[in-house]
Amino acid sequence: MKATIRKIIHVDMDAFFASVEQRDNPELRGKPVAVGGSRARGVVAAASYEARKYGVHSALASKIAAQRCPNLIFVKARFEVYSAVSRQIREIFHSYTDLVEPLSLDEAYLDVTENKIGMPSATIIAQEIRKRIFEETGLTASAGVSYNKFLAKIASDLNKPNGFTLVTPDKAEELVAGLAIEKFHGIGKVTAAKMQSMGILTGADLRERSEEELVRNFGKVGHYYYRIARAQDNREVQPHRARKSIGSERTFDIDLVEEHDMLLQIDRLCQEVAHDMERLKTTAKTVTLKIKYFDFTQNTRSKTFLSEFSSADAIYTIARDLLRTPHLPQHPVRLLGVSVSNLLYQHDRLQEGYQLTLEL
């Protein structure tokens, strides 16, 4: 019996945060915009396409961004608004399929092999989704369609912004062979540099290497590299993929040197983390405090407990102790971050309770 070919869509919003700001403020349209940071300091969270032409991108230091683009307009991030728009978009996705796997606020995989509207064409569904997103939010999205997640993700990036690409089985290997190794989803900058030093510059070069060699050089992920070089990816769309950690961090306009000021910021971060935990109905056993200094060096301090916690007060108490252990920061602090991990979701807890009942 012939196996069913999956129909996977990857939808990726175009410069999402910056596009929302340009949508809501007409004066920003057509201008280079950076969300997050300031001309003096901080880090860019997102950049409009007008800004990207100057080499401005996310995670770039704001000072460097301003040097590259003197006319760059910095706006404060409004994550509550971005989250609300993201929920709108996901409602559109779910009107076609329940097999939706969000990767972040602005992108997701959809498996439409079987779908709610009985449409056999994934291409038509993807185009409908893009049209509805624009009509209902005023924002544009790019989409890629193929028979696996890897190819759909690659496809969505080929004709951005506001683009669409279909990769059929007969074109997949040719596309992958000609793809620069740094364009492969799942291969980061460090790995790409290592591959390039080994003479692996394209997908065709990657395909020439044996699975044993890739595993020897890159560990278990080498199995994945071997498969994607052949346009193979058996991963399923996971609609209920649980987050492994929840966190919040903030870069400050002025470096912090006093414990009191650091604790005020940590308290704010803990409130945000606890809010997300409540929304996701989860508890945690580990708290991690991230400290980045004025010279961009950083360290992390973590503590794990046998018991669970979820309140802002509990997280704050742990984070405060981490700030003081082994000693308070000895240099001015430009960024603080608080995250929790070893999460236990309500669904998991109910399952555990059910299993315990069976054992009695």
Side-chain angles (χ1 to χ4, degrees), residues 137-202:
T137 71
L139 304 171
T140 63
S142 296
V145 172
S146 196
Y147 58 91
N148 66 41
K149 291 169 73 173
F150 170 72
L151 291 170
K153 171 75 173 176
I154 294 297
S156 68
D157 198 43
L158 292 178
N159 289 303
K160 285 180 93 36
N162 198 22
F164 171 81
T165 303
L166 168 67
V167 179
T168 55
D170 59 317
K171 299 292 184 182
E173 291 191 17
E174 179 184 354
L175 171 68
V176 173
L179 200 64
I181 206 66
E182 63 269 20
K183 297 292 185 181
F184 275 62
H185 176 57
I187 296 181
K189 290 183 178 180
V190 174
T191 301
K194 182 175 179 179
M195 287 187 175
Q196 289 163 349
S197 71
M198 296 168 58
I200 304 174
L201 306 180
T202 66

Side-chain angles (χ1 to χ4, degrees), residues 114-125:
E114 296 180 5
N115 55 81
K116 295 179 179 180
I117 63 171
M119 170 57 66
S121 171
T123 294
I124 292 177
I125 292 176

Side-chain angles (χ1 to χ4, degrees), residues 240-256:
H240 303 296
R241 188 179 67 168
R243 290 172 59 173
K244 295 182 179 180
S245 65
I246 298 170
S248 183
E249 62 181 42
R250 185 161 286 105
T251 300
F252 311 114
D253 291 332
I254 300 174
D255 293 331
L256 305 183

Side-chain angles (χ1 to χ4, degrees), residues 8 60 72 78 94 121 150 157 166 186 212 218 254 310 322:
I8 308 296
L60 183 69
L72 188 62
R78 299 182 298 155
H94 281 283
S121 171
F150 170 72
D157 198 43
L166 168 67
E212 291 75 18
F218 301 101
I254 300 174
S310 61
L322 289 172

